[in-house]
Every structure is written in structure tokens, then in C-alpha cells.
Short mmCIF file of all heavy atoms in Angstrom, two decimals:
data_model
loop_
_atom_site.label_atom_id
_atom_site.label_comp_id
_atom_site.label_asym_id
_atom_site.label_seq_id
_atom_site.Cartn_x
_atom_site.Cartn_y
_atom_site.Cartn_z
N MET K 1 11.82 -1.11 1.23
CA MET K 1 10.76 -1.24 2.21
C MET K 1 9.98 -2.52 1.91
O MET K 1 9.67 -2.82 0.77
CB MET K 1 9.85 -0.02 2.17
CG MET K 1 8.71 -0.12 3.14
SD MET K 1 7.59 1.28 3.08
CE MET K 1 8.31 2.28 4.34
N MET K 2 9.63 -3.25 2.95
CA MET K 2 8.91 -4.51 2.81
C MET K 2 7.41 -4.27 3.01
O MET K 2 7.01 -3.54 3.90
CB MET K 2 9.43 -5.49 3.86
CG MET K 2 8.86 -6.87 3.77
SD MET K 2 9.53 -7.99 5.03
CE MET K 2 11.20 -8.18 4.46
N ASP K 3 6.59 -4.91 2.17
CA ASP K 3 5.15 -4.78 2.36
C ASP K 3 4.70 -5.68 3.52
O ASP K 3 5.43 -6.57 3.96
CB ASP K 3 4.38 -5.08 1.07
CG ASP K 3 4.59 -6.50 0.57
OD1 ASP K 3 4.57 -7.45 1.38
OD2 ASP K 3 4.78 -6.66 -0.65
N ILE K 4 3.52 -5.43 4.02
CA ILE K 4 3.05 -6.12 5.23
C ILE K 4 2.87 -7.63 5.03
O ILE K 4 3.29 -8.41 5.89
CB ILE K 4 1.78 -5.43 5.78
CG1 ILE K 4 2.19 -4.04 6.28
CG2 ILE K 4 1.14 -6.24 6.90
CD1 ILE K 4 1.06 -3.16 6.70
N PRO K 5 2.29 -8.10 3.92
CA PRO K 5 2.23 -9.56 3.73
C PRO K 5 3.61 -10.22 3.70
O PRO K 5 3.80 -11.30 4.28
CB PRO K 5 1.49 -9.72 2.40
CG PRO K 5 0.65 -8.49 2.30
CD PRO K 5 1.51 -7.40 2.89
N SER K 6 4.58 -9.57 3.08
CA SER K 6 5.95 -10.12 3.06
C SER K 6 6.55 -10.11 4.46
O SER K 6 7.25 -11.05 4.85
CB SER K 6 6.83 -9.32 2.11
OG SER K 6 6.36 -9.44 0.78
N LEU K 7 6.29 -9.06 5.21
CA LEU K 7 6.76 -8.99 6.59
C LEU K 7 6.18 -10.14 7.41
O LEU K 7 6.91 -10.82 8.14
CB LEU K 7 6.37 -7.65 7.23
CG LEU K 7 6.63 -7.52 8.73
CD1 LEU K 7 8.11 -7.60 9.05
CD2 LEU K 7 6.04 -6.21 9.24
N ALA K 8 4.89 -10.39 7.27
CA ALA K 8 4.24 -11.47 8.01
C ALA K 8 4.85 -12.83 7.64
O ALA K 8 5.09 -13.66 8.51
CB ALA K 8 2.74 -11.47 7.75
N GLN K 9 5.11 -13.03 6.38
CA GLN K 9 5.75 -14.29 5.94
C GLN K 9 7.14 -14.43 6.53
O GLN K 9 7.52 -15.51 7.01
CB GLN K 9 5.81 -14.34 4.42
CG GLN K 9 4.47 -14.55 3.76
CD GLN K 9 4.56 -14.47 2.24
OE1 GLN K 9 5.57 -14.07 1.67
NE2 GLN K 9 3.48 -14.87 1.58
N GLU K 10 7.90 -13.37 6.51
CA GLU K 10 9.26 -13.39 7.07
C GLU K 10 9.23 -13.67 8.57
O GLU K 10 10.02 -14.47 9.07
CB GLU K 10 9.97 -12.06 6.78
CG GLU K 10 11.40 -12.02 7.21
CD GLU K 10 12.34 -12.84 6.35
OE1 GLU K 10 12.01 -13.13 5.18
OE2 GLU K 10 13.42 -13.21 6.85
N LEU K 11 8.34 -13.03 9.28
CA LEU K 11 8.20 -13.28 10.72
C LEU K 11 7.84 -14.74 10.99
O LEU K 11 8.42 -15.37 11.88
CB LEU K 11 7.15 -12.36 11.33
CG LEU K 11 7.50 -10.88 11.43
CD1 LEU K 11 6.26 -10.07 11.79
CD2 LEU K 11 8.61 -10.66 12.44
N ALA K 12 6.91 -15.27 10.22
CA ALA K 12 6.49 -16.67 10.40
C ALA K 12 7.65 -17.63 10.13
O ALA K 12 7.86 -18.58 10.88
CB ALA K 12 5.31 -16.98 9.49
N GLN K 13 8.40 -17.37 9.08
CA GLN K 13 9.54 -18.23 8.76
C GLN K 13 10.58 -18.23 9.86
O GLN K 13 11.21 -19.25 10.13
CB GLN K 13 10.18 -17.79 7.44
CG GLN K 13 9.36 -18.10 6.23
CD GLN K 13 9.94 -17.51 4.95
OE1 GLN K 13 10.91 -16.75 4.98
NE2 GLN K 13 9.34 -17.86 3.82
N ARG K 14 10.74 -17.10 10.50
CA ARG K 14 11.73 -16.98 11.58
C ARG K 14 11.14 -17.30 12.95
O ARG K 14 11.82 -17.17 13.96
CB ARG K 14 12.32 -15.57 11.59
CG ARG K 14 13.12 -15.26 10.36
CD ARG K 14 13.65 -13.86 10.42
NE ARG K 14 14.34 -13.49 9.22
CZ ARG K 14 15.42 -12.75 9.17
NH1 ARG K 14 15.94 -12.28 10.28
NH2 ARG K 14 15.98 -12.46 8.02
N GLN K 15 9.87 -17.65 12.99
CA GLN K 15 9.15 -17.95 14.23
C GLN K 15 9.22 -16.78 15.22
O GLN K 15 9.48 -16.95 16.41
CB GLN K 15 9.65 -19.25 14.86
CG GLN K 15 9.42 -20.44 13.96
CD GLN K 15 9.88 -21.74 14.59
OE1 GLN K 15 10.72 -21.77 15.48
NE2 GLN K 15 9.31 -22.83 14.11
N LEU K 16 8.98 -15.59 14.69
CA LEU K 16 8.97 -14.37 15.49
C LEU K 16 7.56 -13.80 15.54
O LEU K 16 6.74 -14.08 14.68
CB LEU K 16 9.91 -13.33 14.87
CG LEU K 16 11.38 -13.69 14.81
CD1 LEU K 16 12.15 -12.65 14.00
CD2 LEU K 16 11.97 -13.82 16.20
N THR K 17 7.30 -12.99 16.56
CA THR K 17 6.03 -12.29 16.66
C THR K 17 6.29 -10.79 16.68
O THR K 17 7.42 -10.34 16.90
CB THR K 17 5.24 -12.69 17.91
OG1 THR K 17 5.99 -12.35 19.07
CG2 THR K 17 4.90 -14.17 17.90
N LEU K 18 5.23 -10.04 16.47
CA LEU K 18 5.33 -8.59 16.45
C LEU K 18 4.08 -8.00 17.06
O LEU K 18 2.97 -8.45 16.80
CB LEU K 18 5.46 -8.12 14.99
CG LEU K 18 5.59 -6.63 14.78
CD1 LEU K 18 6.71 -6.37 13.79
CD2 LEU K 18 4.30 -6.08 14.24
N THR K 19 4.26 -7.04 17.92
CA THR K 19 3.15 -6.27 18.44
C THR K 19 3.40 -4.80 18.12
O THR K 19 4.53 -4.43 17.81
CB THR K 19 2.95 -6.50 19.96
OG1 THR K 19 1.70 -5.96 20.35
CG2 THR K 19 4.08 -5.93 20.76
N SER K 20 2.36 -4.01 18.15
CA SER K 20 2.48 -2.63 17.69
C SER K 20 1.65 -1.71 18.57
O SER K 20 0.64 -2.12 19.13
CB SER K 20 1.97 -2.55 16.24
OG SER K 20 1.95 -1.24 15.78
N ALA K 21 2.11 -0.48 18.67
CA ALA K 21 1.34 0.57 19.33
C ALA K 21 1.18 1.70 18.31
O ALA K 21 2.16 2.25 17.84
CB ALA K 21 2.07 1.07 20.57
N GLU K 22 -0.05 1.97 17.95
CA GLU K 22 -0.33 2.98 16.93
C GLU K 22 -1.17 4.11 17.49
O GLU K 22 -2.02 3.90 18.33
CB GLU K 22 -1.11 2.37 15.76
CG GLU K 22 -0.32 1.42 14.91
CD GLU K 22 -1.14 0.92 13.74
OE1 GLU K 22 -1.32 1.69 12.77
OE2 GLU K 22 -1.62 -0.21 13.81
N SER K 23 -0.91 5.28 16.96
CA SER K 23 -1.78 6.42 17.19
C SER K 23 -1.86 7.19 15.88
O SER K 23 -1.03 7.00 14.99
CB SER K 23 -1.27 7.32 18.32
OG SER K 23 0.05 7.73 18.07
N LEU K 24 -2.87 7.96 15.73
CA LEU K 24 -3.14 8.77 14.54
C LEU K 24 -3.51 7.95 13.30
O LEU K 24 -4.31 8.38 12.49
CB LEU K 24 -1.98 9.71 14.21
CG LEU K 24 -1.55 10.64 15.35
CD1 LEU K 24 -0.33 11.45 14.94
CD2 LEU K 24 -2.67 11.53 15.79
N THR K 25 -2.95 6.76 13.12
CA THR K 25 -3.29 5.93 11.96
C THR K 25 -4.51 5.06 12.24
O THR K 25 -4.99 4.36 11.35
CB THR K 25 -2.12 5.01 11.57
OG1 THR K 25 -1.81 4.16 12.69
CG2 THR K 25 -0.90 5.81 11.16
N SER K 26 -5.00 5.08 13.46
CA SER K 26 -6.19 4.33 13.88
C SER K 26 -6.10 2.84 13.60
O SER K 26 -7.08 2.19 13.27
CB SER K 26 -7.44 4.92 13.26
OG SER K 26 -7.62 6.25 13.68
N GLY K 27 -4.89 2.30 13.67
CA GLY K 27 -4.73 0.85 13.55
C GLY K 27 -4.54 0.33 12.14
O GLY K 27 -4.70 -0.86 11.90
N THR K 28 -4.20 1.18 11.21
CA THR K 28 -4.03 0.75 9.82
C THR K 28 -3.01 -0.38 9.70
O THR K 28 -3.28 -1.40 9.05
CB THR K 28 -3.61 1.94 8.93
OG1 THR K 28 -4.61 2.94 9.01
CG2 THR K 28 -3.44 1.52 7.49
N PHE K 29 -1.85 -0.23 10.31
CA PHE K 29 -0.82 -1.26 10.23
C PHE K 29 -1.31 -2.57 10.82
O PHE K 29 -1.18 -3.64 10.22
CB PHE K 29 0.47 -0.81 10.93
CG PHE K 29 1.48 -1.90 11.07
CD1 PHE K 29 2.21 -2.32 9.97
CD2 PHE K 29 1.69 -2.53 12.29
CE1 PHE K 29 3.14 -3.35 10.08
CE2 PHE K 29 2.60 -3.56 12.41
CZ PHE K 29 3.33 -3.97 11.30
N GLN K 30 -1.89 -2.50 12.02
CA GLN K 30 -2.34 -3.71 12.69
C GLN K 30 -3.47 -4.39 11.92
O GLN K 30 -3.54 -5.62 11.85
CB GLN K 30 -2.77 -3.39 14.12
CG GLN K 30 -1.58 -2.98 14.97
CD GLN K 30 -1.99 -2.58 16.35
OE1 GLN K 30 -2.44 -3.41 17.12
NE2 GLN K 30 -1.82 -1.31 16.67
N SER K 31 -4.34 -3.62 11.34
CA SER K 31 -5.43 -4.17 10.54
C SER K 31 -4.89 -4.93 9.33
O SER K 31 -5.35 -6.04 9.02
CB SER K 31 -6.36 -3.05 10.08
OG SER K 31 -7.37 -3.54 9.25
N GLU K 32 -3.92 -4.35 8.66
CA GLU K 32 -3.33 -5.01 7.49
C GLU K 32 -2.55 -6.26 7.89
O GLU K 32 -2.61 -7.28 7.20
CB GLU K 32 -2.46 -4.04 6.71
CG GLU K 32 -3.28 -2.96 6.03
CD GLU K 32 -2.45 -2.01 5.18
OE1 GLU K 32 -1.34 -2.39 4.75
OE2 GLU K 32 -2.91 -0.88 4.96
N LEU K 33 -1.85 -6.21 9.00
CA LEU K 33 -1.12 -7.38 9.49
C LEU K 33 -2.10 -8.49 9.88
O LEU K 33 -1.90 -9.66 9.54
CB LEU K 33 -0.23 -7.01 10.67
CG LEU K 33 0.60 -8.13 11.28
CD1 LEU K 33 1.57 -8.73 10.24
CD2 LEU K 33 1.36 -7.63 12.50
N ALA K 34 -3.17 -8.13 10.56
CA ALA K 34 -4.16 -9.11 10.99
C ALA K 34 -4.89 -9.76 9.82
O ALA K 34 -5.43 -10.86 9.95
CB ALA K 34 -5.17 -8.47 11.94
N ALA K 35 -4.88 -9.13 8.67
CA ALA K 35 -5.56 -9.67 7.49
C ALA K 35 -4.70 -10.69 6.72
O ALA K 35 -5.18 -11.29 5.77
CB ALA K 35 -5.97 -8.54 6.55
N THR K 36 -3.46 -10.90 7.14
CA THR K 36 -2.60 -11.86 6.45
C THR K 36 -2.86 -13.27 6.96
O THR K 36 -3.28 -13.46 8.11
CB THR K 36 -1.11 -11.53 6.64
OG1 THR K 36 -0.76 -11.69 8.01
CG2 THR K 36 -0.78 -10.11 6.17
N PRO K 37 -2.61 -14.28 6.12
CA PRO K 37 -2.81 -15.67 6.56
C PRO K 37 -1.93 -16.05 7.76
O PRO K 37 -2.29 -16.93 8.53
CB PRO K 37 -2.43 -16.49 5.33
CG PRO K 37 -2.60 -15.57 4.18
CD PRO K 37 -2.27 -14.19 4.70
N GLU K 38 -0.80 -15.40 7.92
CA GLU K 38 0.13 -15.73 9.01
C GLU K 38 -0.21 -15.03 10.33
O GLU K 38 0.47 -15.25 11.33
CB GLU K 38 1.56 -15.33 8.61
CG GLU K 38 2.13 -16.08 7.44
CD GLU K 38 1.67 -15.53 6.09
OE1 GLU K 38 1.10 -14.42 6.03
OE2 GLU K 38 1.86 -16.23 5.10
N ALA K 39 -1.23 -14.23 10.35
CA ALA K 39 -1.54 -13.41 11.53
C ALA K 39 -1.62 -14.23 12.81
O ALA K 39 -1.11 -13.80 13.85
CB ALA K 39 -2.83 -12.63 11.32
N HIS K 40 -2.24 -15.38 12.75
CA HIS K 40 -2.40 -16.17 13.97
C HIS K 40 -1.06 -16.64 14.55
O HIS K 40 -0.95 -16.93 15.74
CB HIS K 40 -3.32 -17.36 13.74
CG HIS K 40 -2.77 -18.39 12.80
ND1 HIS K 40 -2.77 -18.22 11.43
CD2 HIS K 40 -2.19 -19.58 13.02
CE1 HIS K 40 -2.21 -19.27 10.85
NE2 HIS K 40 -1.85 -20.11 11.79
N ASP K 41 -0.02 -16.69 13.72
CA ASP K 41 1.30 -17.11 14.19
C ASP K 41 2.18 -15.94 14.62
O ASP K 41 3.06 -16.12 15.45
CB ASP K 41 2.05 -17.86 13.09
CG ASP K 41 1.44 -19.21 12.77
OD1 ASP K 41 0.91 -19.87 13.70
OD2 ASP K 41 1.48 -19.60 11.59
N VAL K 42 1.96 -14.77 14.03
CA VAL K 42 2.91 -13.68 14.22
C VAL K 42 2.37 -12.46 14.95
O VAL K 42 3.13 -11.58 15.34
CB VAL K 42 3.52 -13.23 12.87
CG1 VAL K 42 4.19 -14.38 12.17
CG2 VAL K 42 2.49 -12.57 11.98
N TYR K 43 1.05 -12.39 15.15
CA TYR K 43 0.46 -11.17 15.72
C TYR K 43 -0.36 -11.49 16.96
O TYR K 43 -1.53 -11.81 16.87
CB TYR K 43 -0.40 -10.49 14.66
CG TYR K 43 -1.11 -9.24 15.14
CD1 TYR K 43 -0.40 -8.16 15.63
CD2 TYR K 43 -2.48 -9.15 15.10
CE1 TYR K 43 -1.04 -7.03 16.08
CE2 TYR K 43 -3.14 -8.02 15.53
CZ TYR K 43 -2.42 -6.97 16.02
OH TYR K 43 -3.05 -5.84 16.46
N PRO K 44 0.25 -11.37 18.15
CA PRO K 44 -0.50 -11.63 19.38
C PRO K 44 -1.42 -10.48 19.78
O PRO K 44 -2.31 -10.67 20.59
CB PRO K 44 0.59 -11.85 20.43
CG PRO K 44 1.77 -11.11 19.91
CD PRO K 44 1.67 -11.16 18.41
N GLY K 45 -1.22 -9.30 19.22
CA GLY K 45 -2.08 -8.16 19.53
C GLY K 45 -1.28 -6.87 19.59
O GLY K 45 -0.07 -6.86 19.38
N GLY K 46 -1.99 -5.79 19.87
CA GLY K 46 -1.34 -4.49 19.93
C GLY K 46 -2.24 -3.47 20.59
O GLY K 46 -3.30 -3.80 21.12
N PHE K 47 -1.82 -2.22 20.53
CA PHE K 47 -2.55 -1.11 21.12
C PHE K 47 -2.88 -0.10 20.03
O PHE K 47 -2.03 0.24 19.22
CB PHE K 47 -1.69 -0.41 22.19
CG PHE K 47 -1.28 -1.32 23.31
CD1 PHE K 47 -0.07 -1.98 23.26
CD2 PHE K 47 -2.11 -1.51 24.40
CE1 PHE K 47 0.33 -2.83 24.29
CE2 PHE K 47 -1.72 -2.36 25.43
CZ PHE K 47 -0.50 -3.01 25.37
N ILE K 48 -4.11 0.38 20.06
CA ILE K 48 -4.52 1.40 19.11
C ILE K 48 -5.20 2.53 19.88
O ILE K 48 -6.14 2.30 20.64
CB ILE K 48 -5.51 0.84 18.06
CG1 ILE K 48 -4.88 -0.30 17.28
CG2 ILE K 48 -5.98 1.95 17.12
CD1 ILE K 48 -5.86 -1.07 16.43
N THR K 49 -4.68 3.72 19.71
CA THR K 49 -5.29 4.92 20.26
C THR K 49 -5.31 5.95 19.15
O THR K 49 -4.67 5.77 18.12
CB THR K 49 -4.49 5.49 21.45
OG1 THR K 49 -3.22 5.93 20.98
CG2 THR K 49 -4.31 4.47 22.55
N TYR K 50 -6.02 7.01 19.34
CA TYR K 50 -5.92 8.09 18.35
C TYR K 50 -4.93 9.14 18.83
O TYR K 50 -4.04 9.55 18.10
CB TYR K 50 -7.28 8.73 18.03
CG TYR K 50 -7.13 9.70 16.88
CD1 TYR K 50 -7.02 9.22 15.59
CD2 TYR K 50 -7.00 11.05 17.10
CE1 TYR K 50 -6.81 10.09 14.54
CE2 TYR K 50 -6.79 11.93 16.06
CZ TYR K 50 -6.70 11.43 14.77
OH TYR K 50 -6.48 12.30 13.73
N ALA K 51 -5.05 9.52 20.07
CA ALA K 51 -4.17 10.57 20.61
C ALA K 51 -2.82 9.98 21.01
O ALA K 51 -2.75 8.96 21.71
CB ALA K 51 -4.81 11.23 21.81
N THR K 52 -1.76 10.61 20.59
CA THR K 52 -0.42 10.17 20.96
C THR K 52 -0.25 10.16 22.47
O THR K 52 0.39 9.28 23.03
CB THR K 52 0.64 11.08 20.30
OG1 THR K 52 0.45 11.03 18.88
CG2 THR K 52 2.05 10.64 20.62
N SER K 53 -0.84 11.12 23.15
CA SER K 53 -0.73 11.19 24.61
C SER K 53 -1.37 9.96 25.26
O SER K 53 -0.86 9.46 26.26
CB SER K 53 -1.36 12.47 25.14
OG SER K 53 -2.73 12.54 24.79
N ALA K 54 -2.46 9.47 24.70
CA ALA K 54 -3.10 8.26 25.24
C ALA K 54 -2.20 7.05 25.05
O ALA K 54 -2.07 6.21 25.93
CB ALA K 54 -4.45 8.04 24.59
N LYS K 55 -1.57 6.96 23.88
CA LYS K 55 -0.66 5.84 23.61
C LYS K 55 0.49 5.86 24.61
O LYS K 55 0.82 4.83 25.19
CB LYS K 55 -0.12 5.93 22.18
CG LYS K 55 0.89 4.83 21.85
CD LYS K 55 1.39 4.92 20.43
CE LYS K 55 2.25 6.15 20.23
NZ LYS K 55 2.83 6.22 18.88
N THR K 56 1.06 7.02 24.83
CA THR K 56 2.18 7.14 25.76
C THR K 56 1.76 6.73 27.17
O THR K 56 2.47 6.00 27.85
CB THR K 56 2.70 8.59 25.76
OG1 THR K 56 3.08 8.94 24.43
CG2 THR K 56 3.89 8.75 26.68
N LYS K 57 0.59 7.15 27.59
CA LYS K 57 0.09 6.83 28.93
C LYS K 57 -0.16 5.33 29.07
O LYS K 57 0.26 4.71 30.06
CB LYS K 57 -1.19 7.61 29.23
CG LYS K 57 -1.71 7.42 30.62
CD LYS K 57 -2.92 8.30 30.86
CE LYS K 57 -3.45 8.11 32.26
NZ LYS K 57 -4.60 8.98 32.52
N ILE K 58 -0.81 4.72 28.10
CA ILE K 58 -1.11 3.29 28.16
C ILE K 58 0.17 2.47 28.16
O ILE K 58 0.30 1.50 28.94
CB ILE K 58 -2.03 2.88 26.99
CG1 ILE K 58 -3.42 3.48 27.20
CG2 ILE K 58 -2.10 1.36 26.85
CD1 ILE K 58 -4.33 3.39 25.97
N LEU K 59 1.11 2.80 27.31
CA LEU K 59 2.35 2.04 27.26
C LEU K 59 3.17 2.20 28.54
O LEU K 59 3.82 1.27 28.97
CB LEU K 59 3.16 2.43 26.04
CG LEU K 59 2.53 2.00 24.71
CD1 LEU K 59 3.36 2.51 23.54
CD2 LEU K 59 2.35 0.49 24.64
N ALA K 60 3.13 3.38 29.13
CA ALA K 60 3.84 3.58 30.41
C ALA K 60 3.23 2.70 31.49
O ALA K 60 3.96 2.10 32.29
CB ALA K 60 3.79 5.04 30.81
N LEU K 61 1.91 2.56 31.50
CA LEU K 61 1.25 1.70 32.48
C LEU K 61 1.57 0.24 32.22
O LEU K 61 1.73 -0.56 33.14
CB LEU K 61 -0.27 1.90 32.43
CG LEU K 61 -0.77 3.25 32.93
CD1 LEU K 61 -2.28 3.38 32.65
CD2 LEU K 61 -0.49 3.42 34.41
N ALA K 62 1.69 -0.17 30.96
CA ALA K 62 1.97 -1.55 30.60
C ALA K 62 3.37 -1.97 31.02
O ALA K 62 3.62 -3.15 31.25
CB ALA K 62 1.79 -1.75 29.09
N GLN K 63 4.28 -1.02 31.15
CA GLN K 63 5.66 -1.34 31.54
C GLN K 63 5.78 -1.62 33.03
O GLN K 63 6.74 -2.21 33.47
CB GLN K 63 6.60 -0.20 31.16
CG GLN K 63 6.78 -0.08 29.68
CD GLN K 63 7.71 1.08 29.32
OE1 GLN K 63 7.99 1.96 30.12
NE2 GLN K 63 8.18 1.08 28.09
N ASN K 64 4.81 -1.18 33.80
CA ASN K 64 4.88 -1.37 35.26
C ASN K 64 4.35 -2.71 35.69
O ASN K 64 3.71 -3.44 35.17
CB ASN K 64 4.12 -0.25 35.98
CG ASN K 64 4.80 1.08 35.76
OD1 ASN K 64 6.02 1.14 35.70
ND2 ASN K 64 4.04 2.13 35.66
#
């Protein structure tokens, strides 16, 4: 398993970005990713909800 700072470095080296949709964790992953020096290159944003049902509803709307 890769830690988040290493993931951010790998994404930056490959010129890739990553977005995330989280529920129940209240944005823990996105917060840790945003705290890396590479965040401005690899993290354009994401979605954070608490209820899984809210995440599902928001993502369904985003696909339309």
C-alpha cells in the first residue's frame, strides 16, 4: 500500500490528477492529499459528504 505523500509524488511525476468522493470518513483522504506539496498539481478537488446516500445522489447528478 502506498502512503498519500508518495501517491501525490507519483501522480505529479506522471502528470496525472485525482479526484475523490468520500463519505463517512469526512474527507480524511482529501485533507491528507491537499496537505502535500504536490496538491496544486494533482488535486483539482473532490466531494465530501457524510451520508453515503448523499454521495450517491450528488455523483449521479454530476454525471448528467
Side-chain angles (χ1 to χ4, degrees):
M1 179 182 267
M2 185 179 290
D3 61 43
I4 293 173
S6 296
L7 172 64
Q9 289 175 349
E10 184 72 23
L11 289 169
Q13 288 173 353
R14 294 179 184 218
Q15 298 182 337
L16 297 172
T17 61
L18 180 134
T19 192
S20 175
E22 289 183 77
S23 56
L24 305 176
T25 60
S26 298
T28 301
F29 171 75
Q30 292 177 67
S31 176
E32 291 183 23
L33 181 60
T36 66
E38 295 82 12
H40 66 282
D41 291 327
V42 302
Y43 178 59
F47 300 93
I48 300 169
T49 65
Y50 188 77
T52 302
S53 60
K55 177 179 68 176
T56 303
K57 184 176 180 178
I58 290 168
L59 292 176
L61 291 172
Q63 290 179 345
N64 294 325

